[in-house]
Amino acid sequence: MANFYKTLNQTNDIVNTRTLLHEAIPLTGTIVSGTYGVENIKNYSHGMFQSVYDYPYLSSSANHIFDITAGYANNSGLSASANNQNSKKINIYNQMAQVMMGYDQTGSILQFDEDGDLLAGGTKQKENIFLNFSRLLVKDEIKKGSFELEIGVTPEYAQNGTVFGDRIKLADLSGSDGYLVNSPVGEYGILYATQSAGTNVMAAIGSGHSTPVGLLFYQAGVAVITGSIFLEVASGGILNNAHNNVSMSGPSSTEETVLAVLTGSQISGAADNIRTRIYNLQFNNTVELNSTVYFCRANHNEFNYSSNPTYLSGSKIRVKTQTTDVPVSYITTIGLYSDNNELMAVSKLSEPLKKTPDNEFTIRVRLDY
Amino acid sequence: MAFLDNSGDIILDAVLTDHGRKVLSKGDGSFRITKFALGDEEINYTLYNANHANGSAYYDLEILQTPVLESFTNNASSMKTKLITIANTNLLYLPVLKLNQNMTNTKTHTLGAFLVAVDRSTEGTDAAGTTAAVGYNGTDQVQGILFGESFEDSNYIRIDQGLDTTEISPKEKSQISDMIESSYIIQIDNRLGSIVDKNGNRVAPDFIDDDNIGFYTVDSSDNIVSDNLDDSNSTSQTISGPRGTIVEFKIAASLDLNTSTFLFTKLGNTALMTNKAGTPASQSVRFIDTMVRVTGMSTGYNIDVPIRFIKTII
C-alpha cells in the first residue's frame, strides 16, 4: 500500500531539550556619549528618565538599548523640597525599590541594600543611578559574572572624550557563584568597583581594591549604581581623597559634585553627566531555548517515489527506464503534521538529498520555543 | 523567500507554519505533531538525464545542484508534492489524477475553467427567469457552469485516478491494486465556496485553516469517491491504463458570494458573457478566479482544478 505520512514514535522519535544561549553585547562608550551627538538620546517631557539608542532615534533603524535615570530615598540626606524634581527623584527611587527589592512585613518599601543581606540591615544605597537595559539586549537575563561597566572618573569635567584617563570598572565579580535570590524580580549580584586605569584612583588600597557599589538584577536587566562612585572618601565616596571628586555639569557650574547634580539638576541633566562618563559597557545575555527535536527516519524502503508532477511522463517514472532500475527521489522539505493532517511546521534542507532503496536518512528537525 | 546557503554543510531551516502558530496559541494541547512527510517541490525531474554521455554519476547532477528556497510559513504553500513509500521497488508506472472532460457534463467551460454561478439569478433558475442569467443558453444548460445555489444542473467535476499509459491494458487492474486511492483531500477557499456531492449534499470540512482554506477528506461514504469499474477503452474514460477511483463533486457558493458583492469587488473583476437569450458578450458578470486542489491520500498526487465564481450584474 502506498502512503506518504510516517508516524513519529512519541518515545523514540521526539525529544524535548533545554539550551541556554549567550550573546556578547559590547557597547562602546562613544555610542552612548558622542558618536551621534545627542541624536540618539531621547528625553521626555515628563523628565523621569532618558533613553539611549544605538542610532539617531528618529531613524527606523534605531534600537533602544537602555534607559538612564536617577533618584534618592525620601530619608536620604539629599532629599529636600527645594531640590529640582525632588518628588520625581523620590518617586523613581521608590518605584525601582518596590519592584526590585519588594516590601517588608509592614508593607513598607525595602531600600536597596549594599550587600543584599536584608535581615542584617547594613548600609543602604539611598542615592542611585539606574541603568535599565532593553529586553532586546538582555533577552531572558544577563549572564551572571559577565557584566562590566567602565566609567571615566578623571576629576575634570569635559565632554570631549578626555575624562577617561582615570577609570573604574564595575563588575559582578561574584556573579557566577555568589548571587542573591531574595528579590521579587529574580536573582541579583553585587557590583564591585576596581580601578582599571590611572594611578591611586580608588581610596587607600589603590589598584585591585574591590568595593561594593551597586546591584545588578539579572532577569530584570537593571543595574543600580550608587552615586558615590563619583565621590572621594571624604565626601562619602570610594575615590582617593587625593584624587578629588569628579566634576560634573551642575545647575550653576561645570565643577559640581554628583551630589549637587542629583539635587540641583533635573534627572535628564544627571543622566547626561553619567552617560558621558561611560567608557565601555559589556555583558552577555542569555536566551533560554526550549526545543523539541523530531527524528524523521526515512528507511531504505521508504520515500523512494514522488508525487511531483515532473516525476512522471504520462504515468511512466522518468528516473527509471526499466522496472529493475532503482527508484530515485530527492528530499528538499520535511513537513510535520498533526493527527488531522494539519501542516504544523515545515523545514527545508539547504540542498537536495538523494533517496534510493540503497540508503537511509535520519533527519533531525528542531523546533525552538 | 530567499535561497538557503548551500556552499557548506547541509543545514535545516525549520519554522512553524502560520496555522501551526494559530493552533499553538490556543494553548489547549491541540498542538501535537504525530507524523511527518517528505517533499520535493523544488525538484524538476525532467532534468534527470539517463542518457548523459559521462555516465550515471552525471544523470542527476543538475538536480543535486538545485537551490532550495527557505521555508514558507503559509501551510497551504508547502509540501505540495510529497515523497511516497511503496514497498515494491520494481514499479515503472505510478497512478496520476486527471480531469475527465470526456463527457458533456464534466467539461470545463470554454473559458478553460469550471464556472460556479453563485445565485439563482446567475444560474437562471429564479422564478423571474431573467434573461440576464448565464447558466442557460435558451433552454440548454451551458457547458462547464455549476449551479452553486440550487444544484439544479447536471454538470459536475470529475477526476479520474489510474495509470495513464497505453502500454498497460486497463484490464490489468493488478498493476495498480496497491496504489488505488480510497480517500482524497479537497482544498477550497472557504470564503468562496464549499464541497458538495453531485446531488448537492454538503460535506463537513475537517478544518478551516488561518488563511480560510477549507480541508475536506472525502471517500465513498460521502458519495464523492467511487471505484472505476469500467475497464474498456470507452471514450468516456480519460485514463488509458488500469483505473483506480473516481472523484465527483460540485461546488456550493458561499453565503457571502450568494448575497453580497463585497468579495467580488475586493478579489475579483468583471467580464462580459453570453446571456440566456444567447447574445454573446451581452451580460456583465462579476467574477473571482480560484483553484480547488484535490490530493490523493495514499500517493499524495494532486491536481489543481481552475474555478471561476460568477455573479451577474443586474
Side-chain angles (χ1 to χ4, degrees), chain A residues 2-3 6 8 303 305-308 310 315 317 320 330 332-333 335 337 341-344 346-348 354, chain B residues 11 13 15 17 19 34-37 39-40 42-43 45 60 82 84-85 88-89 91-92 94 164 298:
Chain A
N3 64 74
K6 183 171 181 184
L8 290 160
F303 303 109
Y305 294 94
S306 172
S307 64
N308 189 317
T310 65
S315 269
I317 299 170
K320 294 178 79 169
Y330 299 87
T332 65
T333 315
Y337 290 85
N341 303 327
E342 299 162 280
L343 181 60
M344 300 299 210
V346 65
S347 62
K348 289 279 197 178
K354 184 177 184 175
Chain B
I11 59 166
D13 169 47
V15 293
T17 62
H19 183 69
T34 59
K35 53 191 172 184
F36 73 95
D40 62 352
E42 286 92 349
I43 302 298
Y45 286 91
D60 59 1
K82 301 180 181 73
I84 315 166
T85 297
N88 183 357
T89 58
L91 297 173
L92 196 55
L94 288 178
D164 190 27
S298 173

Side-chain angles (χ1 to χ4, degrees), chain B residues 26-199:
Chain B
K26 289 181 188 171
D28 59 359
S30 57
F31 183 89
R32 188 161 177 269
I33 290 169
T34 59
K35 53 191 172 184
F36 73 95
L38 303 179
D40 62 352
E41 52 210 351
E42 286 92 349
I43 302 298
N44 179 359
Y45 286 91
T46 62
L47 298 176
Y48 192 89
N49 181 5
N51 299 313
H52 199 287
N54 293 341
S56 56
Y58 291 82
Y59 288 179
D60 59 1
L61 193 62
E62 287 190 81
I63 289 178
L64 289 170
Q65 290 172 342
T66 303
V68 179
L69 293 162
E70 291 172 321
S71 305
F72 295 125
T73 54
N74 185 349
N75 61 305
S77 306
S78 296
M79 297 299 293
K80 292 190 290 294
T81 63
K82 301 180 181 73
L83 302 190
I84 315 166
T85 297
I86 303 174
N88 183 357
T89 58
N90 290 329
L91 297 173
L92 196 55
Y93 298 92
L94 288 178
V96 296
L97 300 181
K98 213 170 165 187
L99 200 58
N100 187 332
Q101 298 196 68
N102 292 351
M103 292 175 286
T104 308
N105 52 358
T106 62
K107 287 182 187 294
T108 57
H109 189 269
T110 52
L111 290 170
F114 285 99
L115 275 52
V116 179
V118 301
D119 55 27
R120 282 181 175 272
S121 58
T122 306
E123 294 171 358
T125 57
D126 57 334
T130 171
T131 56
V134 295
Y136 284 93
N137 185 345
T139 56
D140 298 329
Q141 284 176 27
V142 178
Q143 168 194 314
I145 296 187
L146 310 177
F147 290 3
E149 182 177 4
S150 70
F151 313 117
E152 293 171 7
D153 61 325
S154 58
N155 295 335
Y156 60 94
I157 299 167
R158 170 172 163 160
I159 293 162
D160 289 12
Q161 187 229 358
L163 301 181
D164 190 27
T165 174
T166 55
E167 294 178 23
I168 307 174
S169 164
K171 296 187 185 300
E172 288 197 53
K173 201 96 172 179
S174 61
Q175 296 279 348
I176 194 179
S177 57
D178 59 353
M179 294 181 287
I180 292 176
E181 300 283 3
S182 57
S183 60
Y184 295 82
I185 293 174
I186 304 178
Q187 292 169 244
I188 184 171
D189 191 323
N190 191 59
R191 294 170 300 177
L192 308 180
S194 55
I195 302 300
V196 295
D197 70 9
K198 282 201 298 183
N199 300 317

Side-chain angles (χ1 to χ4, degrees), chain A residues 277-295:
Chain A
R277 290 274 174 179
I278 294 177
Y279 178 74
N280 196 29
L281 170 59
Q282 62 186 39
F283 60 86
N284 285 6
N285 68 18
T286 304
V287 179
E288 186 179 316
L289 212 55
N290 292 295
S291 309
T292 305
V293 180
Y294 299 90
F295 291 94

Side-chain angles (χ1 to χ4, degrees), chain A residues 355-367:
Chain A
K355 180 72 185 74
T356 73
D358 301 330
N359 60 17
E360 297 189 339
F361 292 111
T362 297
I363 301 170
R364 185 176 171 275
V365 181
R366 193 183 77 190
L367 292 180

